[in-house]
Amino acid sequence: MKRAGIDFVVSVPCLNLKEVIPMVDRDPDIIHVPVTREEEGVGVCAGAYMGGRRPAMLMQNSGLGNSVNALASLNQLYGIPLVMIMSHRGVEGEPICAQVPMGELTTQLLEILKIPYFFPDSKADAIEKIQVAWKTALEGRRPSAVLLPIPFWR
Amino acid sequence: MQRIDAIRDIAQKAGQDDALLVCNIGIPCKELYSVCDTPGNFYMLGSMGLASSIGLGLALSLPRRKIIAIDGDGSVLMNLGSLATIATQAMENYLLVIIDNGSYGSTGDQPTATSKGADLAEIAKGAGNSRVCRTDNHEELIHILQGNDHDIIVVKVDPGNADVPNISMCPGDILRRFMAGLYQPSD
């Protein structure tokens, strides 16, 4: 994230992010704001961008559903960039059936919302893809997403 | 007191303090636009519920600027978690003014839960905000605004909308003008 210049991160926890969130919290170069719901985080990130920051949101893909109106009627309406770094649950290897419906809908939802998304296949690739995701968001003045499915975390 | 009276008082404070002002969706935005349109106003046209969150993001990013968000009772009820997040951040440069008219004023004046007893000042305190004041009086509001840059103020007003024109700027222009204004001499 830091290589992409991201200096403002809101987070909604996911088990897969349990080691990433404390790292962000400890980093003196990043403002970290834990929020109660992803839609709220979209608003906080929009304010941060307006204030000159480069925002990202750490979240689970279930939170994409919670954020749809804000992504459309705030980010896309005004042209506000945002990178969503998403733990993609409900795909191959998922042990919890409740995660599956949103897992299957995630890429379709992103496509309907015209949000570009990237699938890194390794930690090194994630560093690269997060930079590409920020560049895409900034140049397109819109949200982008980096999806980290269950096999990524193994 | 009508909502537009409270908005006029808040806009006057923003002008005096060179504060940035984020305004809630719908008719409140139009009322602010009609009483005082400046580049430091951000008119939120969609994303109902997020004015307080946008204001918080701005306050965190610009700690040397004063930020004021104008929100409504219906919108705050839609994003109550924001009150808890605002409490955890406790920014000294962020003032949230909730104008409570007990009504969804932009959609036909349907009653909100505050008209049935929900108390947003108590909810804000319960969410962890220690500095919450409330008023239903115009002179008292002016007095509270003069002494506060970082509290939550709940202002009780009567339901009803002022007859004001639409905002003539497109969303992209609102954002460009707002962001361009941030880097003026006051920064």
Side-chain angles (χ1 to χ4, degrees):
Chain A
M1 283 192 281
K2 287 177 79 167
R3 286 206 198 153
I6 286 166
D7 56 5
F8 190 103
V9 175
V10 307
S11 67
V12 184
C14 170
L15 191 58
N16 290 334
L17 299 170
K18 70 174 194 268
E19 288 170 15
V20 180
I21 291 172
M23 281 168 63
V24 168
D25 199 53
R26 283 193 300 269
D27 195 313
D29 299 329
I30 296 177
I31 295 176
H32 174 222
V33 188
V35 294
T36 62
R37 185 178 165 91
E38 295 81 0
E39 184 187 27
E40 182 201 349
V42 173
V44 175
C45 284
Y49 171 74
M50 287 154 61
R53 293 271 168 173
R54 292 183 170 203
M57 181 151 66
L58 285 170
M59 60 194 281
Q60 195 178 105
N61 59 318
S62 53
L64 179 64
N66 292 342
S67 311
V68 168
N69 179 60
L71 291 168
S73 74
L74 181 59
N75 292 73
Q76 293 184 345
L77 181 71
Y78 287 91
I80 296 174
L82 165 69
V83 177
M84 294 179 285
I85 300 172
M86 262 184 246
S87 164
H88 190 181
R89 301 288 302 266
V91 290
E92 189 188 341
E94 176 62 57
I96 298 173
C97 67
Q99 296 281 2
V100 173
M102 271 306 293
E104 290 175 346
L105 283 169
T106 295
T107 53
Q108 294 174 62
L109 262 177
L110 290 168
E111 281 160 19
I112 286 170
L113 291 165
K114 298 188 172 63
I115 294 175
Y117 57 92
F118 305 90
F119 273 115
D121 54 19
S122 66
K123 300 253 182 332
D125 192 30
I127 291 169
E128 171 83 26
K129 293 274 180 20
I130 289 170
Q131 293 176 75
V132 174
W134 173 256
K135 193 163 179 277
T136 304
L138 187 65
E139 288 174 358
R141 305 186 62 80
R142 60 182 175 179
S144 70
V146 177
L147 296 177
L148 306 171
I150 292 165
F152 175 86
W153 300 99
R154 292 194 174 133
Chain B
M1 181 169 36
Q2 295 290 318
R3 181 180 55 215
I4 194 165
D5 302 320
I7 287 177
R8 193 176 285 114
D9 295 338
I10 298 162
Q12 191 170 9
K13 177 187 172 60
Q16 283 166 359
D17 292 358
D18 192 27
L20 300 167
L21 198 47
V22 177
C23 188
N24 183 34
I25 185 174
I27 295 170
C29 267
K30 295 184 197 177
E31 291 180 352
L32 174 62
Y33 181 71
S34 75
V35 300
C36 176
D37 177 42
T38 84
N41 291 353
F42 180 73
Y43 303 108
M44 194 191 82
L45 304 177
S47 61
M48 180 168 170
L50 297 190
S52 65
S53 303
I54 295 169
L56 178 63
L58 265 170
L60 285 157
S61 301
L62 297 168
R64 288 191 292 279
R65 289 297 292 266
K66 291 179 182 176
I67 313 295
I68 305 172
I70 298 173
D71 217 337
D73 49 315
S75 297
V76 170
L77 288 165
M78 199 175 268
N79 185 16
L80 282 177
S82 177
L83 296 174
T85 305
I86 289 167
T88 62
Q89 299 299 320
M91 298 302 292
E92 294 294 320
N93 62 331
Y94 185 38
L95 173 66
L96 171 61
V97 187
I98 302 168
I99 304 180
D100 178 2
N101 64 359
S103 173
Y104 291 101
S106 299
T107 57
D109 275 328
Q110 299 86 353
T112 67
T114 67
S115 73
K116 310 283 186 195
D119 185 330
L120 288 172
E122 290 300 322
I123 293 170
K125 283 185 208 166
N129 295 283
S130 56
R131 302 173 305 208
V132 181
C133 5
R134 70 168 97 209
T135 181
D136 59 2
N137 176 281
H138 186 62
E139 283 71 33
E140 193 178 39
L141 173 61
I142 292 170
H143 179 71
I144 293 171
L145 284 169
Q146 281 170 352
N148 284 289
D149 294 324
H150 50 243
D151 288 9
I152 294 178
I153 305 172
V154 179
V155 188
K156 275 282 190 187
V157 301
D158 298 325
N161 305 311
D163 184 16
V164 288
N166 286 333
I167 295 171
S168 61
M169 283 180 291
C170 72
D173 288 343
I174 291 171
L175 183 72
R176 276 187 286 277
R177 188 181 74 154
F178 181 82
M179 290 184 69
L182 292 179
Y183 306 104
Q184 297 301 310
S186 56
D187 248 12

